């Protein structure tokens, strides 16, 4: 309980302050899971819709539990665990939520369950048909994975793909395996870097290593078989790789799936174990925990996903996914429709009162 309270307290005051500086005049507020409790009272105070974007399943379901990486449980136990988790989070935050509601002049108290206009599932329905069926009619539309365009990635410093040395390295040999863990902490940088290089040598592949926040670059010696880069455009790089070893965040997983290449998900927490399990479920990848990773584990997992069957299934799955452009359009249409419907309802209510 203490640990959960510390997590929920992290950044609360700053987020409330930031929202106060920007919410006036909004037609809608689009938020995410960790900021729903802050965004909703502000939206209610304006009388505008509050829409939430979810990048993985984070609502009660019979199919998965609320604890990342926990073993599979029977449906009834999963449902019970979600009930406990939601009630626990409400106990930890209700006083703070109600204080914000009073400050904004919003009536009513914070409930256990979120009461937003829509909960947009920003991931592909092809990967979770059981959720599509279970949540039908519950205002949780699936739009597909959302994605930053290349121009947006360049603008925020997340693309070093135009490095001429990298282009030459690609052309000089066979397709590499990409290794990168994004913003995830790497417990033992030197050991992890050594394991990557060793495993790549054992299975006979070149290694393209993205340094990430774990600062792997400092522990890797480059040669014609190993190349270290900064942040790269996944949409451009992944299709040129044989496989992708990554942390399993929704965005990176989506890029690997759309590229039609197998994944090895080395997860830390949050939604990552779920996406790793999805890759295993559809035969397009393997999964393991990032802490404790070594050359033996990497070698075994790489040998599996580099087989022709995994490549074939990955390419077939990619053909059925919603494109980034379609996903963005679907999401934007839902937001605009919610704004229009709320405005129409308000006009009708005003006419009735008159």
């Amino acid at each position: 309980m203490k640990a959960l309270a510390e997590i929920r307290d992290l950044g609360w005051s700053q987020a409330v302050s930031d929202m106060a500086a920007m919410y006036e005049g909004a037609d809608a507020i689009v938020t995410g899971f960790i900021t729903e409790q802050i965004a909703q009272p502000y939206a209610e105070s304006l009388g505008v819709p509050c829409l939430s974007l979810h990048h993985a399943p984070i609502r009660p379901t019979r199919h998965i539990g609320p604890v990342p990486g926990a073993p599979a449980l029977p449906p009834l136990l999963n449902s019970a665990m979600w009930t406990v988790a939601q009630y626990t989070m409400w106990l930890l935050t209700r006083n703070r939520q109600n204080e914000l509601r009073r400050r904004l002049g919003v009536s009513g108290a914070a409930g256990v369950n979120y009461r937003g206009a829509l909960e947009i599932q920003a991931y592909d329905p092809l990967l979770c048909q059981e959720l599509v069926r279970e949540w039908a009619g519950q205002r949780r539309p699936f739009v597909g994975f959302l994605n930053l365009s290349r121009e947006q990635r360049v603008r925020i410093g997340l693309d070093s793909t135009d490095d001429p040395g990298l282009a030459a390295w690609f052309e000089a040999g066979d397709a590499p395996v990409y290794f990168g863990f994004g913003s995830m902490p790497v417990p033992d940088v030197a050991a992890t870097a050594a394991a990557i290089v060793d495993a790549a040598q054992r299975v006979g592949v070149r290694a393209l290593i993205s340094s990430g926040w774990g600062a792997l670059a400092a522990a890797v010696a480059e040669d014609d078989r190993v190349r270290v880069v900064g942040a790269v455009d996944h949409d451009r790089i992944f299709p040129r790789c044989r496989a992708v070893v990554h942390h399993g965040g929704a965005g990176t997983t989506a890029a690997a799936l759309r590229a039609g290449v197998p994944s090895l998900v080395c997860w830390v927490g949050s939604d990552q174990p779920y996406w790793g399990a999805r890759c295993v479920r559809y035969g397009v990848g393997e999964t393991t925990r990032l802490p404790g990773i070594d050359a033996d584990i990497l070698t075994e997992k790489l040998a599996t996903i580099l087989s022709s069957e995994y490549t074939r299934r990955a390419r077939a799955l990619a053909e059925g996914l919603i494109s980034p452009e379609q996903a963005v359009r679907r999401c934007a249409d839902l937001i605009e429709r919610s704004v229009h419907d709320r405005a129409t309802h308000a006009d009708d209510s005003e006419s009735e009162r008159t």
Side-chain angles (χ1 to χ4, degrees), residues 50-275:
C50 183
L51 306 102
S52 193
L53 294 180
H54 296 169
H55 57 276
I58 52 173
R59 288 291 185 255
T61 168
R62 300 186 301 271
H63 301 286
I64 59 171
V67 180
L73 295 173
L76 286 177
L77 277 180
N78 282 330
S79 297
M81 287 181 65
W82 278 108
T83 299
V84 171
Q86 287 190 309
Y87 187 72
T88 300
M89 296 308 295
W90 174 73
L91 286 175
L92 291 171
T93 61
R94 58 177 177 170
N95 292 336
R96 188 170 51 192
Q97 289 186 69
N98 289 331
E99 179 186 353
L100 178 59
R101 296 179 71 85
R102 287 191 296 270
R103 189 192 314 170
L104 295 172
V106 177
S107 61
V112 175
N113 298 317
Y114 177 68
R115 298 172 295 176
L118 278 180
E119 298 173 2
I120 299 172
Q121 307 304 301
Y123 47 99
D124 205 290
L126 179 64
L127 302 172
C128 47
Q129 290 296 310
E130 68 279 13
L131 295 179
V132 175
R133 292 188 291 269
E134 182 181 0
W135 290 346
Q138 296 188 38
R139 299 183 64 76
R140 292 178 188 153
F142 289 79
V143 300
F145 290 105
L146 300 179
N147 190 29
L148 293 175
S149 68
R150 188 190 174 213
E151 292 74 17
Q152 290 168 327
R153 291 180 64 85
V154 169
R155 196 175 343 165
I156 61 176
L158 290 180
D159 184 10
S160 60
T161 308
D162 288 332
D163 175 3
L166 177 59
W169 185 81
F170 263 109
E171 297 297 330
D174 52 315
V177 171
Y178 171 94
F179 297 84
F181 307 114
S183 60
M184 293 299 100
V186 177
D188 188 332
V189 173
T192 301
I196 289 172
V197 174
D198 189 5
Q201 290 175 343
R202 293 189 199 180
V203 297
V205 297
R206 297 200 299 166
L208 177 64
I209 303 173
S210 178
S211 183
W213 291 16
L216 290 170
V220 177
E222 289 187 303
D223 56 33
D224 60 336
R225 303 290 295 175
V226 178
R227 172 84 183 190
V228 179
V229 293
V232 296
D233 185 343
H234 294 162
D235 295 341
R236 300 176 68 197
I237 291 298
F238 286 2
R240 303 185 67 179
C241 298
R242 287 189 62 187
V244 177
V245 181
H246 59 97
H247 60 293
T252 310
T253 302
L257 292 172
R258 283 175 171 150
V261 296
S263 286
L264 169 54
V265 171
C266 302
W267 55 269
V268 176
S270 188
D271 61 318
Q272 300 160 15
Y274 176 77
W275 293 122

Side-chain angles (χ1 to χ4, degrees), residues 1-13 37 85 88-96:
M1 290 285 284
K2 182 180 178 182
L4 288 172
E6 290 176 354
I7 291 171
R8 293 305 305 183
D9 286 340
L10 183 63
W12 175 276
S13 297
Q37 295 171 334
T88 300
M89 296 308 295
W90 174 73
L91 286 175
L92 291 171
T93 61
R94 58 177 177 170
N95 292 336
R96 188 170 51 192

